[in-house]
Amino acid sequence: MTLDTKDLLNSIMDSFDRIGYIRSEDIPNIDLYMDQVTTFMDNKLKNTTRDPEHDKILTKTMINNYAKNNLLPPPVKKKYSKEHVLLLIFIYYYKNILSITDIQTLLQPITQTYFGKGDRGESGLDLEAIYDEVFSLQEEQVENLKKDVYRRYKQAEASFSKAPEGQQDFLHKFAFICYLSFDVYVKKLLIEKVIDSIREEEEDKRVKAEKRKKDNGKEG
C-alpha cells in the first residue's frame, strides 16, 4: 500500500473522534424559532457532513416537510421545544438510510407516548431520558466500529496481491469500500425487518383498539 493510502486509514480513524454528538444538556431549555433551530443544528453537527463549508444539516424546508409527513409535531406559536430538537436529531441520523415511512413507523410510537408528556411516573422515562439512554452507548460503539473498520481495512490491504503494482492501490480501496458497503447493506436489511415487525405490532394494536371501541358501543 502507498503512503497515501496509509494516511487515508489514519484520517478515517481520526474522523471517528470527530463524529458529532449533541448532548441533551447542550440543547437550550427554551423554545426556539425555526432559524434558531437550524443554526443550532448546523453549529453542532456540521463536522459530520461531507462538505462542512457548504452542506446544510437542516433547512426550513426540511422541517416543514417533516411536520407535513407527521415526523414532527407542529410548533407552538412558531416555536420549537427541546423535545422537537431531540426528534430532529433522531431524524437527521435516520434520513440517510431509512425511508420517510420507516422513520414514521419508528418515531410515531415514541412521539405519541412521550412527546409533551413530561415524566412517565415510576419509569422516569420521557423523551429526553430515551435520547440520553440511546446515545450513552455512543462512545463504546465508536470504539467497536474503529476496531471493525481497521480489521476490514487490513483485509482489503491483503487483497489483490497478484494485481499489477500500479493498480493495487485503487483495488485495495475498492475492496475496502465493498467490505463496508456489504456491511451497511446487511444492517439496513436487518433494520427494515425490525421496523416491519414494529409496523405490524402497531397495526395489530390499532385494529384491537377499534374492535374494543366498536364492542363497547354495541354494549351501550
Side-chain angles (χ1 to χ4, degrees):
M1 301 288 273
T2 66
L3 177 62
D4 175 68
T5 306
K6 290 181 180 178
D7 287 344
L8 174 62
L9 177 61
N10 291 331
S11 175
I12 291 172
M13 291 296 105
D14 290 341
S15 69
F16 276 103
D17 298 325
R18 297 193 299 271
I19 291 177
Y21 169 58
I22 302 177
R23 299 184 183 278
S24 61
E25 57 264 31
D26 295 335
I27 302 172
N29 281 314
I30 58 172
D31 294 344
L32 304 174
Y33 286 107
M34 187 181 288
D35 284 341
Q36 294 173 309
V37 173
T38 57
T39 299
F40 173 80
M41 293 284 284
D42 282 340
N43 288 341
K44 291 295 183 178
L45 295 174
K46 64 180 179 181
N47 286 333
T48 66
T49 62
R50 189 172 189 173
D51 183 359
E53 292 297 320
H54 300 97
D55 292 343
K56 287 289 186 181
I57 296 294
L58 193 64
T59 65
K60 294 179 181 180
T61 300
M62 291 179 188
I63 294 177
N64 288 331
N65 285 338
Y66 298 154
K68 186 185 300 183
N69 286 285
N70 297 318
L71 296 181
L72 193 71
V76 177
K77 296 180 180 179
K78 297 185 178 182
K79 284 190 173 184
Y80 296 84
S81 67
K82 184 173 185 175
E83 289 183 317
H84 279 107
V85 177
L86 292 172
L87 288 173
L88 285 169
I89 296 171
F90 279 123
I91 294 170
Y92 170 71
Y93 286 112
Y94 292 146
K95 69 185 178 72
N96 290 317
I97 58 171
L98 297 177
S99 67
I100 291 294
T101 301
D102 283 344
I103 299 175
Q104 286 176 335
T105 300
L106 199 54
L107 287 185
Q108 280 184 352
I110 296 291
T111 302
Q112 291 170 357
T113 305
Y114 298 105
F115 187 89
K117 305 294 178 60
D119 183 80
R120 299 296 296 177
E122 293 183 1
S123 69
L125 282 179
D126 57 13
L127 194 54
E128 184 173 348
I130 291 172
Y131 178 90
D132 287 339
E133 182 77 16
V134 170
F135 282 94
S136 66
L137 305 174
Q138 182 204 20
E139 186 173 345
E140 179 183 352
Q141 180 72 357
V142 167
E143 289 304 313
N144 290 336
L145 284 172
K146 287 171 71 173
K147 293 176 183 177
D148 184 61
V149 168
Y150 182 81
R151 177 178 62 82
R152 293 174 188 274
Y153 180 88
K154 300 305 287 186
Q155 288 177 328
E157 188 179 34
S159 67
F160 296 106
S161 60
K162 295 182 179 181
E165 186 175 345
Q167 298 176 18
Q168 284 190 4
D169 181 59
F170 170 78
L171 290 173
H172 290 155
K173 291 175 182 176
F174 180 76
F176 183 50
I177 290 171
C178 287
Y179 290 153
L180 295 176
S181 298
F182 183 71
D183 184 70
V184 172
Y185 168 73
V186 171
K187 287 179 179 177
K188 186 173 184 290
L189 288 179
L190 294 175
I191 290 170
E192 289 172 345
K193 190 174 184 63
V194 174
I195 290 175
D196 287 343
S197 72
I198 292 174
R199 186 178 292 116
E200 290 172 3
E201 291 168 0
E202 291 300 314
E203 177 63 16
D204 186 56
K205 290 178 183 177
R206 185 189 67 79
V207 170
K208 288 180 178 178
E210 288 184 355
K211 185 177 183 302
R212 283 196 299 269
K213 184 177 179 181
K214 185 177 180 179
D215 290 343
N216 290 335
K218 289 180 179 179
E219 294 175 2

